[in-house]
Amino acid sequence: AVAGGRCGADLALAPGVVVSAESALEAAILAAMAADPGVRAKLGDPMRFEEAGAPRPAFPYLEFVRHESRPAGGVNVEASEHRVDFAVVSRVLDGREAMEAMHAVRAALDGAELAMGGWRCVLLLPVYLDATRTRPGLWRALLRVKAVVERV
């Protein structure tokens, strides 16, 4: 079995190792983004992604902002609802570069078939997109997606 790693790198799993729905969803979303030509055109190849504890990549880059999940299953169904926030950070004035990159990210996720070992994404829906200037010379475009994931 494999679980998608950051920026599309697959991680081998030992037999019987369970990957959380949160980890599987994040890895699958990143893999879908990294594989998309439109995202690669805006965020580089390999995709520039801010890893916790790693040096900040060149601008513009993508970062995870927040991942909230809650149980959504029923009788004999293990499922969870997720709200995942991503941001594209850019130094280009007026925020246009950040928004263009985020539109490419949203397009990559539209109808994406996410590969998630042991899990299946039954809903992936963008619910919010906005760009703000966080300080002079730095723009941040935020995309929030809603996902429902169930165990297979």
Side-chain angles (χ1 to χ4, degrees):
V2 296
R6 298 282 187 185
C7 295
D10 286 332
L11 305 173
L13 295 177
V17 173
V18 176
V19 175
S20 71
E22 291 80 9
S23 295
L25 179 62
E26 286 181 13
I29 288 173
L30 276 177
M33 289 179 196
D36 184 79
V39 173
R40 288 195 309 265
K42 298 294 183 183
L43 296 175
D45 188 9
M47 182 176 71
R48 291 184 295 275
F49 177 76
E50 184 179 42
E51 297 270 4
R56 181 171 288 146
F59 289 93
Y61 64 86
L62 180 78
E63 64 182 4
F64 268 117
V65 176
R66 180 179 180 189
H67 186 157
E68 174 188 345
S69 66
R70 64 185 70 175
V75 176
N76 297 325
V77 176
E78 184 179 348
S80 51
E81 180 179 313
H82 303 258
R83 298 241 192 285
V84 185
D85 293 354
F86 308 95
V88 169
V89 182
S90 170
R91 286 187 181 166
V92 173
L93 297 177
D94 78 8
R96 191 172 331 150
E97 180 182 55
M99 283 300 284
E100 288 174 358
M102 193 53 82
H103 284 295
V105 166
R106 183 173 68 181
L109 296 179
D110 186 31
E113 292 289 327
L114 301 181
M116 302 170 54
W119 299 94
R120 176 177 53 222
C121 184
V122 295
L123 175 72
L124 185 63
L125 180 69
V127 294
Y128 179 80
L129 176 61
D130 190 22
T132 57
R133 190 173 88 172
T134 57
R135 64 176 194 240
L138 193 65
W139 283 84
R140 198 164 186 236
L142 180 79
L143 174 67
R144 175 171 295 147
V145 295
K146 175 182 178 178
V148 176
V149 174
E150 63 185 21
R151 187 176 291 282
V152 291

